[in-house]
Amino acid sequence: MTDPASASRRTQNRSSSPAPTLDSTDDARLREIDRALEAARADVERRLSDVRRADGGAGQDAMDRDIAVHRLVSRQTVLRRFTRDLCLGKIVPADGGEELYIGRTGLVSPEGKRLLVDWRAPAAEPFFGATHEDPTGLAMRRRFLWQLGHVVDFWDEVFDPQLPTDSRALDEHSAFIRSLGGSRSPRMRDVLGTIQADQDRIIRAASRDALVVDGGPGTGKTVAALHRAAYLLYADARVSRTGGGVLFLGPNDRYLSYVDDVLPSLGEDSVRIATLRRLVAEGADASAEPDPRVAAIKGRTEWEQTIAAIVREYERVPDEPTVVATSWADIDIEPDEWAEAFEAADDGTPHNEARETVWNELLDLVTAKVTEMPPHLARRELEHHTGLREMFDAVWPMLSPAGLVAALWTSPSLIAGHAAWLPDDDAERIRRTDGTAWTLADLPLLDAARDLIGDPAATERRLAHARALTAERERIETVVEYLHDADEDGEGTSLMLDASDMQERLIDPGALPTLPTDALAGPFAHVIVDEAQELSPAEWRMLIRRCPSKSFTVVGDRAQARHGFTETWQERLTSLGIARSTLAELTINYRTPAEIMAEAAPVIRAALPDANVPTSVRETGRPVLHARAGDLAGILERWLGEHDEGVACVIGSADVPPLPRVTALTPPEAKGLEFDLVVLVDPDSFGDGVTGAVDRYVAMTRATSDLVILTS
């Protein structure tokens, strides 16, 4: 591998070079792309208009129409957003084959000539994966740097020693290093054109099992994860929109806002992006758990079995026969008949959703005992029998998931009776007077309870929808019978209505209650988890419920786990039931300058000697500055005056003046983000032990250019 410091110096020496002149071949291809783009935009808009005007029908036809619209809109977004800068660069095969131009999307001319190869296609892989150690059949690679639709620079990476080189023929990291010198903004930069070989191997890895992406700060873990989502939706039929899709989970809302634009720029807007908060209705108002010990207790997976045991106690077969007084006789229902009705509930069906199945089975059993009147009349009376319904509600009640979890925190007897695995002092520690004062640590338990019980409101809406659908079918059936009677020769409208599915097509979906939908409930074909080192076992269970195939991309850094991470990734995942996983390590820091890493590395290694501290690939020549806390306002104002672009962040407890392009965050809030300038205030106040060391390390490594450390 090329020496990182050497690559950095060579790149910096070119920073004042004049804009390059494209050769005639490239210039001609870019003009062709311009013309083809106009035609492609017109074609997509025409097809989209046709699909939207067409009758979507119902069922699979409607779904197919929606998928077609979604795909066309995604392509339209990319074609409208970019011009000739769709082109990332080109590759030249060593065997003299066709030069291929690589693009954000594939593009052909109106005459059928291939102009751009989609970056996710197999033919484009060498553009990202070639290195001097393994050129993958390339003689040369050229990368373009675009600004406002114009090529302002390019890099030629020559792999064939027989080819002539010039000052632009640098190493495989040069384009990326050069791009890192630019100022940051509140959103993640577009880096598709400079994806590195180690990142590309992660992006294109198989998706069947779990892939762990372990890397320190600035190694491009998040970049690789986001591009992997777009790649899998394009290349993996199992993961595509029709196959289940992708869920991308980030640590907080600020982080999601930061990465929000990456996937649309790649032509993908079907990826569901969320935080753990967004997976549970109560998450919006949940506060942080103030006691780390309580958070650890609630993070255990045993709570799932505890909740299941409590739910089973609410499914009680009566010990004695029950009597239903009807208009024709008193009917005895024996305990074994109740038990038989209970057995109608399928294993795995949530408690509330199983109620209707058990109720209908009970009605069938009781109706079968009636001999005094016709069965359909008997069942009709039993179905509306207040006494029987009250008996049923007592032995199989509608439950509230939130109510059950709240009761756990306020009822010592409930804990004592169903959580024998919990020591008495821990049981006392988790008690609180307001059971519904939700914290983030409660969310996995609420999710487990909702999975086991079902949402009462959603269950009622489904039942209302089913009742309305039955009524609509009966109404249509009555109309059809009337038309049959009125149709003397039997060859008119009534005959048409006898055709298969015709009556179903007459149902007006708008007349039915809306069915509940939860776009984040899954199941998803693949889940990508960023900052995964922070997840508790119970939080992992939330994700496995949404991805039963256990096809995960697990992105994290054990050295950035605030509460410690002593085992290996494989040991952690195996304990969670994810038995098959592979590990990909990223060891090159593309973001943080070497001068900053030289001070950050000892901070984390003092607490975690085996921390995976990456090697910085670039230098700025500017050391870390140390000053007094009272200098904060002057430092920020001076930096803003010297920099027309870029963003700064103050991390630590301080009164930050309201200034443009300046943000104040805590270390956990800053995780995953990057800033041109970071001002670290009183880092010793972050605490002792692993948590304090991790917070200091995370804060220091958010800087892409300058770091200032202030002490009192």
Side-chain angles (χ1 to χ4, degrees):
M1 178 178 294
T2 305
D3 173 59
S6 173
S8 175
R9 287 190 294 272
R10 292 158 68 187
T11 302
Q12 291 163 6
N13 290 340
R14 292 182 47 219
S15 61
S16 59
S17 299
T21 301
L22 293 175
D23 60 39
S24 59
T25 303
D26 290 346
D27 193 52
R29 177 57 60 93
L30 294 178
R31 286 199 302 271
E32 287 183 288
I33 289 171
D34 271 340
R35 292 192 295 270
L37 268 173
E38 291 296 325
R41 290 181 186 126
D43 178 63
V44 167
E45 294 195 10
R46 176 188 56 76
R47 290 162 58 197
L48 188 56
S49 177
D50 290 346
V51 171
R52 283 173 167 163
R53 282 200 305 268
D55 180 11
Q60 186 63 45
D61 291 340
M63 184 179 296
D64 290 344
R65 176 185 178 275
D66 290 345
I67 291 171
V69 168
H70 192 100
R71 287 175 174 166
L72 288 168
V73 168
S74 295
R75 182 162 178 80
Q76 183 186 56
T77 299
V78 173
L79 295 178
R80 283 179 172 178
R81 178 170 183 164
F82 298 96
T83 56
R84 61 175 63 186
D85 53 344
L86 277 173
C87 183
L88 305 172
K90 71 177 180 181
I91 51 179
V92 180
D95 61 6
E98 177 191 5
E99 294 184 359
L100 296 180
Y101 287 79
I102 312 303
R104 296 176 177 277
T105 185
L107 188 67
V108 297
S109 71
E111 299 76 31
K113 177 182 177 181
R114 179 171 64 176
L115 301 178
L116 289 175
V117 176
D118 191 296
W119 70 273
R120 296 165 290 189
E125 188 170 353
F127 181 79
F128 303 98
T131 65
H132 285 284
E133 290 77 13
D134 181 15
T136 62
L138 295 188
M140 187 268 283
R141 166 176 56 205
R142 172 169 292 175
R143 301 183 196 251
F144 295 141
L145 177 63
W146 294 90
Q147 285 183 8
L148 302 176
H150 299 282
V151 175
V152 296
D153 209 344
F154 65 82
W155 295 267
D156 287 346
E157 294 145 359
V158 178
F159 304 108
D160 186 344
Q162 304 301 316
L163 290 179
T165 62
D166 60 21
S167 61
R168 298 186 183 279
L170 304 179
D171 63 279
E172 62 265 21
H173 297 307
S174 301
F176 196 17
I177 298 170
R178 176 72 170 83
S179 71
L180 289 173
S183 298
R184 266 50 184 180
S185 74
R187 289 195 169 188
M188 179 176 279
R189 296 172 309 116
D190 177 9
V191 298
L192 176 57
T194 52
I195 290 292
Q196 299 297 281
D198 55 351
Q199 298 166 340
D200 189 63
R201 284 190 291 272
I202 290 165
I203 292 168
R204 298 175 191 268
S207 69
R208 283 286 173 185
D209 300 323
L211 171 67
V212 178
V213 182
D214 182 87
T219 54
K221 303 185 297 296
T222 299
V223 165
L226 289 164
H227 287 73
R228 176 165 171 76
Y231 172 79
L232 291 177
L233 285 167
Y234 172 90
D236 191 330
R238 188 188 67 82
V239 176
S240 69
R241 300 179 185 90
T242 55
V246 175
L247 171 66
F248 186 98
L249 196 81
N252 53 58
D253 287 335
R254 181 182 291 272
Y255 169 94
L256 295 189
S257 297
Y258 178 61
V259 304
D260 184 57
D261 195 47
V262 174
L263 287 164
S265 76
L266 301 174
E268 287 296 347
D269 56 4
S270 64
V271 177
R272 297 291 181 183
I273 300 180
T275 62
L276 284 170
R277 280 181 181 273
R278 298 186 187 183
L279 300 184
V280 181
E282 295 80 2
D285 299 321
S287 60
E289 181 63 64
D291 186 343
R293 176 59 181 160
V294 170
I297 295 169
K298 293 179 179 179
R300 297 177 61 173
T301 57
E302 288 90 343
W303 288 112
E304 200 167 332
Q305 288 73 44
T306 296
I307 293 170
I310 296 172
V311 172
R312 284 194 296 272
E313 283 209 350
Y314 281 101
E315 300 167 358
R316 299 186 296 268
V317 172
D319 296 327
E320 302 291 336
T322 52
V323 180
V324 180
T326 69
S327 62
W328 63 88
D330 290 346
I331 303 175
D332 292 338
I333 308 177
E334 300 295 332
D336 61 343
E337 292 174 314
W338 281 104
E340 185 177 350
F342 280 21
E343 289 173 0
D346 293 332
D347 290 341
T349 301
H351 169 91
N352 289 342
E353 295 177 19
R355 275 170 48 90
E356 197 68 11
T357 300
V358 175
W359 170 247
N360 285 320
E361 182 68 14
L362 179 67
L363 291 176
D364 288 344
L365 290 170
V366 177
T367 301
K369 301 176 70 170
V370 176
T371 58
E372 295 86 351
M373 63 189 309
H376 71 284
L377 296 178
R379 183 183 173 96
R380 182 174 298 174
E381 179 175 330
L382 290 168
E383 191 169 2
H384 297 91
H385 194 291
T386 302
L388 180 59
R389 172 58 82 171
E390 289 175 351
M391 291 178 193
F392 178 74
D393 288 343
V395 299
W396 196 294
M398 182 76 80
L399 298 179
S400 163
L404 189 153
V405 176
L408 279 173
W409 311 145
T410 58
S411 172
S413 60
L414 202 59
I415 292 287
H418 298 89
W421 52 271
L422 190 66
D424 291 342
D425 57 340
D426 284 350
E428 181 61 29
R429 187 184 293 270
I430 62 176
R431 283 188 61 192
R432 65 187 188 218
T433 56
D434 183 358
T436 60
W438 304 119
T439 69
L440 296 179
D442 295 327
L443 302 187
L445 284 81
L446 288 162
D447 190 66
R450 191 161 281 112
D451 184 65
L452 291 165
I453 296 172
D455 185 338
T459 299
E460 184 53 45
R461 288 199 299 273
R462 276 189 285 269
L463 292 175
H465 184 275
R467 289 191 292 268
L469 181 60
T470 299
E472 183 74 0
R473 285 171 174 158
E474 290 175 352
R475 183 186 67 80
I476 292 172
E477 186 176 344
T478 300
V479 172
V480 171
E481 289 177 356
Y482 172 80
L483 291 174
H484 269 302
D485 293 340
D487 188 5
E488 296 181 358
D489 57 12
E491 295 181 356
T493 304
S494 64
L495 183 62
M496 294 172 56
L497 293 174
D498 284 334
S500 176
D501 284 342
M502 181 57 72
Q503 292 184 29
E504 288 294 313
R505 290 178 179 272
L506 293 176
I507 294 174
D508 178 12
L512 305 177
T514 303
L515 281 171
T517 58
D518 182 355
L520 297 176
F524 293 94
H526 191 80
V527 173
I528 298 174
V529 192
D530 206 353
E531 302 296 347
Q533 75 277 355
E534 301 292 1
L535 297 190
S536 71
E539 289 170 336
W540 269 109
R541 287 293 304 160
M542 294 176 69
L543 302 184
I544 292 172
R545 279 192 282 275
R546 287 161 176 78
C547 187
S549 67
K550 300 176 184 177
S551 172
F552 287 96
T553 299
V554 180
V555 183
D557 178 10
R558 293 169 62 243
Q560 294 186 60
R562 299 186 71 244
H563 302 296
F565 197 124
T566 56
E567 69 267 66
T568 66
W569 278 110
Q570 186 174 35
E571 289 168 343
R572 169 69 62 90
L573 295 179
T574 299
S575 71
L576 298 166
I578 304 174
R580 296 190 301 273
S581 64
T582 56
L583 176 66
E585 291 187 297
L586 296 173
T587 59
I588 300 174
N589 187 335
Y590 300 105
R591 177 182 67 211
T592 316
E595 294 86 350
I596 295 176
M597 285 305 299
E599 292 209 25
V603 169
I604 194 63
R605 283 191 169 131
L608 301 170
D610 64 342
N612 176 16
V613 178
T615 301
S616 291
V617 77
R618 68 190 185 100
E619 300 172 358
T620 63
R622 296 186 297 278
V624 175
L625 298 181
H626 294 263
R628 309 298 294 177
D631 299 331
L632 175 60
I635 289 170
L636 294 173
E637 290 170 358
R638 185 164 52 253
W639 183 85
L640 289 169
E642 295 172 353
H643 298 80
D644 295 331
E645 297 179 331
V647 290
C649 183
V650 179
I651 303 178
S653 57
D655 292 328
V656 181
L659 294 169
R661 297 187 283 128
V662 176
T663 301
L665 300 174
T666 65
E669 291 170 339
K671 187 172 287 188
L673 309 180
E674 58 183 32
F675 305 90
D676 297 275
L677 168 69
V678 169
V679 182
L680 195 55
V681 181
D682 284 330
D684 289 344
S685 67
F686 294 172
D688 301 323
V690 171
T691 300
V694 167
D695 282 353
R696 285 186 285 275
Y697 179 60
V698 167
M700 296 174 75
T701 55
R702 298 309 94 197
T704 65
S705 183
D706 295 290
L707 173 65
V708 180
I709 299 177
L710 303 182
T711 54
S712 299

